[in-house]
Amino acid sequence: MNYLIDIFLIAISAALINNFVLHYFVGICPFIGVSRNIDIAFGMGCAVTFVMAIAAFISWVVTTFILIPGAPVTTFIAGIFLPAEQAKAVDLTILSYIVYIFAIASSVQFVEMYVRKFFPPLYKSFGVFLPLITTNCAILFACLMIMSKVVVDNPAEAWDIGRALVLAIFGGVGFTIAIVIMAGIREELDMCDVPKPFQGAAITLVTAGILAMGFMGFTGVDSGLRKALMPKPVQQASITPVKPDDAGPSLTLAHKLVIPQQEQNDK
């Protein structure tokens, strides 16, 4: 039950409360460049979500089994050349950036080939922004956040593959929500009389700031949901034993009151 609650809270937090674009301000390049049309923005959001999920899966597997100290693959290979204790202490997390960038680049290539083959109009509408998903810092940010939850002092608190995938998928969903909302607003702004100094990227950034302030209204929802969903601990009532000395005076008084009454009844 607690695991399902954690999964639910991670999903809500990644999509709305701690939105990658409007809370951490990562992935701004496609957010500004591909948010002129709702259909194109939705396609870009789906592509980013797919790439983020694949990159998160690869990064979690590589981090868990290769990069962190005591990883099984690294320990096995290092154990051939080093003693067992030194092999377990080998730390390759310094290579995390390089590994994650390679994972993201390979995922983007797969998505680009798929979209080019099955959705040619969408591929043309993306233009240069589809290859730029490789440099989308929102995807790299998701991989680094997963690494921070895997590389912990207590192994029992390390995230499993389920939590990592939920963070990546719903982080992409939050990106899609933000870019689609922005695309809808920008379509309306095209029909408005925007002052010349604010035309173009200026009014877009102002709108993004207002959206970010709106999403700040979700702050604290995760903690409230956790308190509402987590079972409350049952408080056991403490029973204080009564000592015989404490009960002595009352029993003596009762004895003095009852015995004379019995004697009078006997008479």
Side-chain angles (χ1 to χ4, degrees):
M1 184 65 181
N2 292 337
Y3 181 78
L4 295 178
I5 293 175
D6 288 342
I7 292 293
F8 175 73
L9 293 177
I10 290 171
I12 295 296
S13 177
L16 297 176
I17 303 171
N18 298 322
N19 189 280
F20 285 6
V21 179
L22 301 176
H23 181 81
Y24 295 109
F25 298 102
V26 293
I28 297 295
C29 298
F31 178 72
I32 300 298
V34 197
S35 59
R36 295 182 178 275
N37 181 272
I38 293 179
D39 296 332
I40 298 175
F42 180 76
M44 173 59 75
C46 293
V48 169
T49 303
F50 184 73
V51 172
M52 193 178 294
I54 296 178
F57 175 79
I58 297 174
S59 64
W60 184 89
V61 171
V62 173
T63 303
T64 304
F65 292 98
I66 298 177
L67 298 181
I68 63 175
V73 176
T74 305
T75 303
F76 174 75
I77 296 175
I80 301 174
F81 308 97
L82 299 173
E85 296 182 357
Q86 295 182 6
K88 291 182 180 180
V90 174
D91 187 1
L92 299 179
T93 53
I94 193 173
L95 303 175
S96 58
Y97 279 86
I98 300 174
V99 173
Y100 297 160
I101 290 173
F102 274 110
I104 295 169
S106 59
S107 304
V108 169
Q109 290 298 320
F110 177 76
V111 171
E112 185 176 0
M113 291 187 296
Y114 180 82
V115 173
R116 182 190 300 175
K117 183 176 180 60
F118 294 101
F119 303 99
L122 185 62
Y123 176 77
K124 293 180 180 179
S125 62
F126 282 160
V128 71
F129 292 103
L130 185 58
L132 283 179
I133 296 179
T134 306
T135 59
N136 189 344
C137 53
I139 303 175
L140 181 60
F141 177 79
C143 296
L144 293 175
M145 182 176 288
I146 292 170
M147 186 191 74
S148 67
K149 300 297 183 179
V150 173
V151 184
V152 292
D153 296 332
N154 185 7
E157 298 178 356
W159 276 17
D160 59 353
I161 187 63
R163 291 184 174 91
L165 286 178
V166 167
L167 174 68
I169 292 172
F170 282 90
V173 170
F175 178 86
T176 305
I177 292 172
I179 196 172
V180 168
I181 293 175
M182 175 59 73
I185 295 175
R186 292 187 71 176
E187 286 184 354
E188 297 295 330
L189 286 175
D190 292 338
M191 298 180 290
C192 298
D193 186 14
V194 180
K196 190 173 182 179
F198 284 95
Q199 292 178 1
I203 190 64
T204 304
L205 292 174
V206 172
T207 306
I210 296 174
L211 279 177
M213 294 175 63
F215 271 71
M216 287 178 63
F218 294 109
T219 303
V221 173
D222 52 347
S223 60
L225 288 174
R226 183 176 292 275
K227 291 180 181 179
L229 296 176
M230 293 293 288
K232 297 180 180 179
V234 179
Q235 297 181 355
Q236 297 181 355
S238 59
I239 300 175
T240 304
V242 179
K243 297 180 180 179
D245 296 340
D246 297 338
S250 61
L251 292 176
T252 305
L253 180 61
H255 179 74
K256 291 180 179 180
L257 293 175
V258 172
I259 295 302
Q261 186 176 3
Q262 289 181 352
E263 293 177 355
Q264 292 178 1
N265 292 335
D266 293 340
K267 292 179 181 180

